[in-house]
Amino acid sequence: MTSSLKDVAARAGVSARTVSNVVSGSARVAADTRRRVQAAIDELGYRPNLAARSLRAGRTGIIGLAIPELHSPYFAELAGLLVEEARRRSLTVIIDQTRGDAEAERRLLTGSGGRVMDGLIISPWSLTAQELASTARPLPIVLLGERSPQGFADRVAVDNVTAADEATTHLLALGRRRVAAIGLQPHLHNGTAGLRAEGYRRALRRAGVQPRPEWEGAVDALHREDGALAMARLLDNGGAPDAVFAFSDELALGAIHLAHHRGVRVPEGLAVVGFDDIEDGRYGRPTLTTVSPDKRQIAQMAMQCLADRIYSPDNEVPPSDLTAPHRLVVRDSTAPQAQAVGT
Amino acid sequence: MTSSLKDVAARAGVSARTVSNVVSGSARVAADTRRRVQAAIDELGYRPNLAARSLRAGRTGIIGLAIPELHSPYFAELAGLLVEEARRRSLTVIIDQTRGDAEAERRLLTGSGGRVMDGLIISPWSLTAQELASTARPLPIVLLGERSPQGFADRVAVDNVTAADEATTHLLALGRRRVAAIGLQPHLHNGTAGLRAEGYRRALRRAGVQPRPEWEGAVDALHREDGALAMARLLDNGGAPDAVFAFSDELALGAIHLAHHRGVRVPEGLAVVGFDDIEDGRYGRPTLTTVSPDKRQIAQMAMQCLADRIYSPDNEVPPSDLTAPHRLVVRDSTAPQAQAVGT
DNA sequence: CTGAAAGCGCTAACAG
DNA sequence: CTGTTAGCGCTTTCAG
């Protein structure tokens, strides 16, 4: 059914070598020969077999992307950007969901996938960087988001402590003092949540506000419903906070949803800041103030990093730790007045 | 660096054949030999080379998923489910974004990708089923969503006409008569939008309401901003509709956002129904009434279909046309009263 | 500029 | 139950 390079060669009356040259454009071929070969290719509908090429090259041109959840807006958007960056480098992306499950993260590396990929970009939730790096070897990996300690693999992340500090400081600057946080994940070794909590507490202290455990809302996952649940607990036991810093926009949206049902107005009674700058936040009601990581930059950095490792594997460059920029985008959910400010 | 089957064989003192048997579990191997081979595998950290295996088998175990946008909540969720279904069958998914671009859709098939994939699930926006099927041959493909005419490839979709009819009828049952639609895409050959428009008009006629062109809001894309834009035009030139059926939840959310800014209350002044049942709709304000396609079912049907084609390619079964179930989920955006009804 | 031939790592016939 | 071997389709030395 499918024709091979040899078939094309036979048809064009040349050797396989010449066809290969025409296809890859690697060496000079006489214009006339090239034309004849091209004609044969078209007639036979020939397309190179990637498996054979990979076998030969020792490379597949495929990289893996392992994220906890594809249906989370933040990861979906990031995945889209990464796929774009990959295409720019003629790389193909295989996406896998780990659901934050340690077993899934491990299987990705030990399973057959480990051999089909030239490299892996992973946002780990359960495994430590060390465990990942040692399991993956010699597969190059790039870590997204933060997991301490560093030094085992390349990593790209925003400065979570500073970002969280800025978000919290923004709430304090509005005159709010009972500033709660939503999104701690003590059950996971989620470094990101820990760092954001650290920034949150740092900002409070700097403003002379003592952090209080009952203001720190833990969550199981980072979805709207978890945010709603945490918000409910804060309203019931947290001593009525007047502001919330949620560690993700989804959590923030869930919290706002619940606050509304409890008759708490946002931003009047409760100012809310999220994290991620997902599209829903821009079109929700009220529009959501959020920490916006530069996702395109993250995608570029991660892909650049991985490509470097793949194409110069012998290069003994120590793991790099890249920080992507972020900025606080102020919208209605922290507006000083009740007036809508627009997008 | 990486060790091959031959290395393992040498180390275990057996032949390559035996190692292959141990790895694949295909033939009986003496318990003692198996143990020795396994030990060698572990020591060397051997993992089979997928490229070689694929070359041999003539199959890669990789299937493609081509969707217009990964960051659209609907497609992201669907992609997640498809990846799950694929794993259940030990298949790996490569995800690609077409952005609804004809060139991208074509390149996916003609480019090198066509050789690395065993099959393709695609949600086409620009190419016709016929063009896709003929370009793809002999690659099995499954179409998601509707594109007429049918008969060129397997297809999975909800009954868009009926679903749109139900959504519109629901609005009419609330006593609304100036029922607009948002989401027509006359510039694309988007069969889905056309079918939803058809169902919308059918419902109007059955209720004795004459469809009016100025009630049909066209959009460039299916995002919130497009919905907002279309809503603005309807309010300006559409004679103040009292209800809107949006062809996607994102459009609906954008429309609601804009209506709110114009001082139109939802659902009191404007009842809104969306399509897709994305998570944002459940946590927005108001919560969004929507047509909910059974996404899991869609994923299962599509994967089953594709797997059948891949594993029995000679089977001359004619292309099947599967209809996935859907249901109307009524929430606050079409509540008869202004009271919040909850999720 | 082109031909011949080796070999990437694996599996499956075919012996033994 | 296990060893030997051919060959999947391609690239790439080595000759010509």
Side-chain angles (χ1 to χ4, degrees), chain A residues 5 17 20 46 49 52-53 56:
Chain A
L5 193 135
R17 164 70 196 259
S20 178
Y46 165 75
N49 181 320
R53 196 176 269 179
R56 194 67 238 268

Short mmCIF file of all heavy atoms in Angstrom, two decimals, chain A residues 5 17 20 46 49 52-53 56, chain D residues 8-15:
data_model
loop_
_atom_site.label_atom_id
_atom_site.label_comp_id
_atom_site.label_asym_id
_atom_site.label_seq_id
_atom_site.Cartn_x
_atom_site.Cartn_y
_atom_site.Cartn_z
N LEU A 5 11.15 4.20 -0.09
CA LEU A 5 12.18 4.91 -0.82
C LEU A 5 12.70 4.07 -1.99
O LEU A 5 13.00 4.59 -3.07
CB LEU A 5 13.31 5.21 0.16
CG LEU A 5 14.40 6.18 -0.24
CD1 LEU A 5 14.67 7.12 0.90
CD2 LEU A 5 15.63 5.43 -0.62
N ARG A 17 19.95 6.14 -2.63
CA ARG A 17 20.76 7.24 -2.17
C ARG A 17 20.29 8.58 -2.75
O ARG A 17 20.14 9.58 -2.05
CB ARG A 17 22.23 6.99 -2.54
CG ARG A 17 23.12 8.19 -2.47
CD ARG A 17 23.31 8.58 -1.00
NE ARG A 17 23.83 9.90 -0.88
CZ ARG A 17 25.09 10.19 -0.65
NH1 ARG A 17 25.95 9.21 -0.54
NH2 ARG A 17 25.48 11.43 -0.53
N SER A 20 17.00 9.71 -1.39
CA SER A 20 17.20 10.23 -0.04
C SER A 20 17.72 11.66 -0.10
O SER A 20 17.26 12.54 0.63
CB SER A 20 18.19 9.34 0.71
OG SER A 20 18.43 9.86 1.99
N TYR A 46 4.70 8.90 -2.13
CA TYR A 46 5.68 8.48 -1.14
C TYR A 46 5.82 9.47 0.01
O TYR A 46 5.84 10.68 -0.20
CB TYR A 46 7.05 8.31 -1.81
CG TYR A 46 8.18 8.22 -0.83
CD1 TYR A 46 8.38 7.05 -0.11
CD2 TYR A 46 9.00 9.30 -0.59
CE1 TYR A 46 9.40 6.96 0.82
CE2 TYR A 46 10.02 9.22 0.34
CZ TYR A 46 10.22 8.05 1.04
OH TYR A 46 11.22 7.99 1.96
N ASN A 49 9.22 7.18 6.06
CA ASN A 49 8.81 6.47 7.27
C ASN A 49 9.60 6.99 8.47
O ASN A 49 10.81 6.83 8.57
CB ASN A 49 9.06 4.98 7.07
CG ASN A 49 8.64 4.18 8.28
OD1 ASN A 49 8.86 4.62 9.40
ND2 ASN A 49 8.02 3.05 8.04
N ALA A 52 11.66 4.47 10.69
CA ALA A 52 12.97 4.10 10.15
C ALA A 52 13.96 5.24 10.33
O ALA A 52 15.10 5.04 10.73
CB ALA A 52 12.83 3.75 8.68
N ARG A 53 13.49 6.41 10.05
CA ARG A 53 14.37 7.57 10.18
C ARG A 53 14.84 7.74 11.63
O ARG A 53 16.01 8.01 11.89
CB ARG A 53 13.61 8.82 9.71
CG ARG A 53 14.47 10.00 9.44
CD ARG A 53 13.65 11.14 8.89
NE ARG A 53 13.58 11.13 7.44
CZ ARG A 53 12.90 12.04 6.74
NH1 ARG A 53 12.22 12.98 7.36
NH2 ARG A 53 12.90 12.00 5.44
N ARG A 56 17.35 5.17 12.69
CA ARG A 56 18.65 5.53 12.15
C ARG A 56 19.29 6.67 12.95
O ARG A 56 20.42 6.62 13.39
CB ARG A 56 18.46 5.96 10.69
CG ARG A 56 19.70 6.06 9.87
CD ARG A 56 20.25 4.67 9.71
NE ARG A 56 21.60 4.63 10.22
CZ ARG A 56 22.67 4.85 9.49
NH1 ARG A 56 22.57 5.05 8.21
NH2 ARG A 56 23.85 4.84 10.03
P DC D 8 12.42 -5.80 3.91
OP1 DC D 8 11.64 -6.50 2.87
OP2 DC D 8 13.66 -5.09 3.55
"O5'" DC D 8 11.48 -4.77 4.67
"C5'" DC D 8 10.31 -5.20 5.38
"C4'" DC D 8 10.11 -4.25 6.56
"O4'" DC D 8 11.01 -4.65 7.60
"C3'" DC D 8 10.46 -2.80 6.24
"O3'" DC D 8 9.27 -2.11 5.87
"C2'" DC D 8 11.01 -2.26 7.57
"C1'" DC D 8 11.40 -3.52 8.37
N1 DC D 8 12.85 -3.70 8.65
C2 DC D 8 13.32 -3.79 9.96
O2 DC D 8 12.51 -3.69 10.89
N3 DC D 8 14.64 -3.97 10.18
C4 DC D 8 15.48 -4.07 9.15
N4 DC D 8 16.77 -4.26 9.43
C5 DC D 8 15.03 -3.98 7.80
C6 DC D 8 13.73 -3.80 7.60
P DG D 9 9.16 -1.48 4.41
OP1 DG D 9 7.74 -1.10 4.25
OP2 DG D 9 9.84 -2.34 3.43
"O5'" DG D 9 10.01 -0.15 4.57
"C5'" DG D 9 9.55 0.87 5.46
"C4'" DG D 9 10.65 1.89 5.64
"O4'" DG D 9 11.79 1.26 6.22
"C3'" DG D 9 11.14 2.53 4.34
"O3'" DG D 9 11.03 3.93 4.50
"C2'" DG D 9 12.56 2.05 4.18
"C1'" DG D 9 12.96 1.77 5.63
N9 DG D 9 13.98 0.75 5.79
C8 DG D 9 14.13 -0.40 5.07
N7 DG D 9 15.13 -1.14 5.47
C5 DG D 9 15.68 -0.43 6.52
C6 DG D 9 16.80 -0.73 7.34
O6 DG D 9 17.52 -1.72 7.31
N1 DG D 9 17.01 0.27 8.29
C2 DG D 9 16.25 1.40 8.42
N2 DG D 9 16.60 2.24 9.39
N3 DG D 9 15.21 1.69 7.66
C4 DG D 9 14.98 0.74 6.74
P DC D 10 11.57 4.94 3.43
OP1 DC D 10 10.69 6.10 3.42
OP2 DC D 10 11.89 4.22 2.19
"O5'" DC D 10 12.93 5.40 4.13
"C5'" DC D 10 12.86 6.12 5.34
"C4'" DC D 10 14.20 6.12 6.03
"O4'" DC D 10 14.72 4.79 6.01
"C3'" DC D 10 15.26 6.97 5.32
"O3'" DC D 10 15.33 8.23 5.97
"C2'" DC D 10 16.55 6.17 5.47
"C1'" DC D 10 16.12 4.85 6.09
N1 DC D 10 16.66 3.65 5.42
C2 DC D 10 17.78 3.02 5.93
O2 DC D 10 18.32 3.49 6.94
N3 DC D 10 18.25 1.91 5.32
C4 DC D 10 17.63 1.42 4.24
N4 DC D 10 18.13 0.31 3.69
C5 DC D 10 16.49 2.04 3.68
C6 DC D 10 16.04 3.16 4.29
P DT D 11 16.18 9.38 5.28
OP1 DT D 11 15.80 10.65 5.92
OP2 DT D 11 16.10 9.20 3.81
"O5'" DT D 11 17.66 9.01 5.74
"C5'" DT D 11 18.03 9.32 7.08
"C4'" DT D 11 19.41 8.78 7.36
"O4'" DT D 11 19.56 7.46 6.80
"C3'" DT D 11 20.55 9.61 6.75
"O3'" DT D 11 21.51 9.78 7.80
"C2'" DT D 11 21.07 8.75 5.63
"C1'" DT D 11 20.80 7.35 6.17
N1 DT D 11 20.67 6.24 5.19
C2 DT D 11 21.46 5.13 5.36
O2 DT D 11 22.28 5.01 6.24
N3 DT D 11 21.24 4.14 4.43
C4 DT D 11 20.34 4.15 3.38
O4 DT D 11 20.24 3.20 2.62
C5 DT D 11 19.55 5.35 3.28
C7 DT D 11 18.53 5.48 2.18
C6 DT D 11 19.75 6.34 4.17
P DT D 12 22.57 10.93 7.68
OP1 DT D 12 22.48 11.68 8.94
OP2 DT D 12 22.37 11.59 6.38
"O5'" DT D 12 23.97 10.18 7.62
"C5'" DT D 12 24.11 8.88 8.19
"C4'" DT D 12 25.22 8.12 7.52
"O4'" DT D 12 24.69 7.24 6.50
"C3'" DT D 12 26.26 8.99 6.80
"O3'" DT D 12 27.54 8.49 7.14
"C2'" DT D 12 25.97 8.79 5.34
"C1'" DT D 12 25.49 7.33 5.35
N1 DT D 12 24.65 6.93 4.19
C2 DT D 12 24.75 5.64 3.73
O2 DT D 12 25.49 4.81 4.22
N3 DT D 12 23.94 5.35 2.67
C4 DT D 12 23.06 6.22 2.03
O4 DT D 12 22.39 5.84 1.09
C5 DT D 12 23.01 7.55 2.57
C7 DT D 12 22.10 8.57 1.95
C6 DT D 12 23.80 7.85 3.61
P DT D 13 28.68 9.54 7.53
OP1 DT D 13 29.35 9.00 8.70
OP2 DT D 13 28.07 10.88 7.52
"O5'" DT D 13 29.71 9.47 6.30
"C5'" DT D 13 31.01 8.93 6.52
"C4'" DT D 13 31.01 7.40 6.37
"O4'" DT D 13 29.81 6.98 5.70
"C3'" DT D 13 32.18 6.94 5.49
"O3'" DT D 13 33.05 6.11 6.25
"C2'" DT D 13 31.55 6.17 4.35
"C1'" DT D 13 30.10 5.97 4.78
N1 DT D 13 29.16 6.10 3.63
C2 DT D 13 28.86 4.99 2.88
O2 DT D 13 29.34 3.89 3.09
N3 DT D 13 27.96 5.22 1.86
C4 DT D 13 27.35 6.40 1.52
O4 DT D 13 26.57 6.46 0.58
C5 DT D 13 27.72 7.53 2.34
C7 DT D 13 27.12 8.87 2.07
C6 DT D 13 28.59 7.33 3.34
P DC D 14 34.54 5.89 5.78
OP1 DC D 14 35.20 4.96 6.73
OP2 DC D 14 35.09 7.24 5.55
"O5'" DC D 14 34.39 5.17 4.36
"C5'" DC D 14 34.02 3.79 4.31
"C4'" DC D 14 33.86 3.37 2.87
"O4'" DC D 14 32.67 3.98 2.32
"C3'" DC D 14 35.03 3.80 1.96
"O3'" DC D 14 35.52 2.66 1.28
"C2'" DC D 14 34.39 4.80 1.00
"C1'" DC D 14 32.94 4.31 0.97
N1 DC D 14 31.95 5.36 0.55
C2 DC D 14 30.97 5.02 -0.39
O2 DC D 14 30.92 3.87 -0.82
N3 DC D 14 30.08 5.98 -0.78
C4 DC D 14 30.17 7.21 -0.28
N4 DC D 14 29.27 8.12 -0.69
C5 DC D 14 31.17 7.57 0.69
C6 DC D 14 32.04 6.62 1.06
P DA D 15 37.02 2.71 0.73
OP1 DA D 15 37.77 1.60 1.36
OP2 DA D 15 37.56 4.09 0.82
"O5'" DA D 15 36.80 2.38 -0.80
"C5'" DA D 15 36.02 3.26 -1.56
"C4'" DA D 15 35.23 2.49 -2.60
"O4'" DA D 15 33.92 3.08 -2.69
"C3'" DA D 15 35.83 2.61 -4.00
"O3'" DA D 15 35.41 1.52 -4.80
"C2'" DA D 15 35.22 3.91 -4.49
"C1'" DA D 15 33.82 3.89 -3.85
N9 DA D 15 33.38 5.22 -3.44
C8 DA D 15 33.96 6.06 -2.52
N7 DA D 15 33.35 7.21 -2.39
C5 DA D 15 32.28 7.12 -3.27
C6 DA D 15 31.25 8.01 -3.60
N6 DA D 15 31.13 9.21 -3.05
N1 DA D 15 30.36 7.61 -4.53
C2 DA D 15 30.48 6.40 -5.08
N3 DA D 15 31.40 5.47 -4.85
C4 DA D 15 32.29 5.91 -3.93
#
